[in-house]
Amino acid sequence: MFSSSTRTIPDAPLVPRHIAIIMDGNGRWAKQRFLPRVAGHKRGVETVRKLVRASIERGVEYLTLFAFSSENWRRPAEEVSLLKGMFLNALEQEIEQLHKNQVRLKVIGDLSGFGARIGELVAAGEKLTENDARLTLTIAASYGGRWDIMRAAKAYFQAHPEALDAQAPIAPEDIEPYLSMMYAPEPDLFIRTGGEKRISNFLLWQMAYTEFYFTDTLWPDFSEQTLDAAIASYQQRERRFGRTSEQLQAAAKEKRQLAGAE
């Protein structure tokens, strides 16, 4: 399990180690072209394939994609059924290729509403790719950040009933092992496409110190160039994690001196 940026100071790598993305704009992309919404969703799946390759090429280790939020169940029944079918098809068609490319698959969220077949495919895909280490691809499906925190707290109290005592201290690190993404470092960079500037209940706990990047590009048009622009923006940020700029400069100077002494 990885430590939290609210307690320790993590490295700030030149290339984000972990990128999380809300893939927004499929429907609008289709509407602009007088196409049915399904066309936008299908094009969006192609974009995911390209992004996985581009992330590997750039040295990203963790890629987390918000495919279907817990609030998306409110969409028209026809579109929800379509998205479920596309999720099923993607699992059936892509898992072997992910394994071939040494990509570990993880799926987080409440999958109970998707049906038994999708649950079986997720379990099989995670098992097949569990030792693949080139990239960890996490798909958030029927996921919500509040759901994640609530679920983790419930699991913690079930495992530690003594903590229900009002006098028992509880720290954030007690809850973290029960969060959906306890296997991954916190995101370095969050990207949202489609022009909206909110995180929509995505990874609320994990993005405490994540750098945000918003683009008007609709998800089906997201390209390697868009990814590079987001990474370039990230590289211009000063990631202080609560410290001052002077402290960062002093730490960098000390690191250079130590390197020179070696």
Side-chain angles (χ1 to χ4, degrees):
M1 178 187 162
F2 293 90
S3 59
S4 170
S5 58
T6 59
R7 296 192 309 277
T8 62
I9 301 174
D11 292 330
L14 188 62
V15 174
R17 188 180 183 191
H18 183 178
I19 297 178
I21 303 179
I22 291 182
M23 307 175 292
D24 199 6
N26 290 337
R28 280 173 286 159
W29 182 92
K31 185 177 181 180
Q32 289 175 1
R33 290 158 178 79
F34 304 100
L35 297 170
R37 291 178 66 87
V38 63
H41 291 305
K42 287 182 177 179
R43 181 65 176 266
V45 172
E46 296 176 13
T47 303
V48 170
R49 295 191 187 103
K50 296 175 184 177
L51 177 64
V52 169
R53 290 194 296 270
S55 297
I56 292 173
E57 291 169 358
R58 285 153 181 76
V60 176
E61 297 177 39
Y62 296 84
L63 177 63
T64 301
L65 305 178
F66 205 6
F68 191 90
S69 77
S70 52
E71 289 73 32
N72 284 156
W73 292 106
R74 302 169 184 165
R75 292 191 175 189
E78 182 180 356
E79 183 170 355
V80 170
S81 179
L82 167 68
L83 292 171
K84 288 168 65 175
M86 292 184 66
F87 188 24
L88 175 63
N89 291 337
L91 288 169
E92 290 176 335
Q93 297 172 13
E94 303 293 338
I95 289 175
E96 288 291 341
Q97 190 64 30
L98 290 175
H99 182 47
K100 181 179 178 181
N101 291 321
Q102 285 293 293
V103 175
R104 179 173 65 153
L105 174 68
K106 299 288 286 184
V107 179
I108 60 173
D110 180 5
L111 300 182
S112 59
F114 285 108
R117 178 58 179 160
I118 286 181
E120 292 168 359
L121 287 170
V122 167
E126 290 185 335
K127 179 64 177 176
L128 177 65
T129 64
E130 63 182 350
N131 295 317
D132 295 334
R134 201 174 183 188
L135 174 75
T136 295
L137 172 64
T138 300
I139 304 297
S142 190
Y143 172 88
R146 291 175 176 174
W147 167 88
D148 194 5
I149 295 169
M150 179 187 70
R151 173 179 167 275
K154 182 178 179 180
Y156 170 75
F157 285 117
Q158 287 178 338
H160 303 278
E162 71 281 1
L164 292 170
D165 184 345
Q167 301 301 315
I170 302 173
E173 53 265 35
D174 296 328
I175 303 296
E176 284 170 351
Y178 300 93
L179 291 167
S180 296
M181 293 203 69
M182 49 76 64
Y183 55 86
E186 296 173 355
D188 298 295
L189 174 63
F190 163 74
I191 301 170
R192 180 165 187 159
T193 63
E196 303 292 354
K197 295 178 174 62
R198 55 179 178 267
I199 62 174
S200 296
N201 197 19
F202 184 38
L203 301 179
L204 297 180
W205 183 291
Q206 295 85 350
M207 294 202 295
Y209 273 96
T210 298
E211 301 295 330
F212 287 11
Y213 181 85
F214 299 100
T215 174
D216 291 333
T217 300
L218 302 177
W219 178 248
D221 290 330
F222 193 90
S223 64
E224 292 186 8
Q225 291 73 30
T226 319
L227 176 63
D228 288 339
I231 293 175
S233 174
Y234 162 85
Q235 291 171 339
Q236 300 304 310
R237 315 286 178 89
E238 185 180 65
R239 304 195 72 196
R240 296 191 295 272
F241 297 101
R243 297 169 295 176
T244 65
S245 295
E246 291 74 16
Q247 285 177 302
L248 287 180
Q249 294 165 6
K253 180 179 180 180
E254 182 180 0
K255 187 174 182 180
R256 289 193 299 270
Q257 290 174 340
L258 290 174
E262 294 175 356

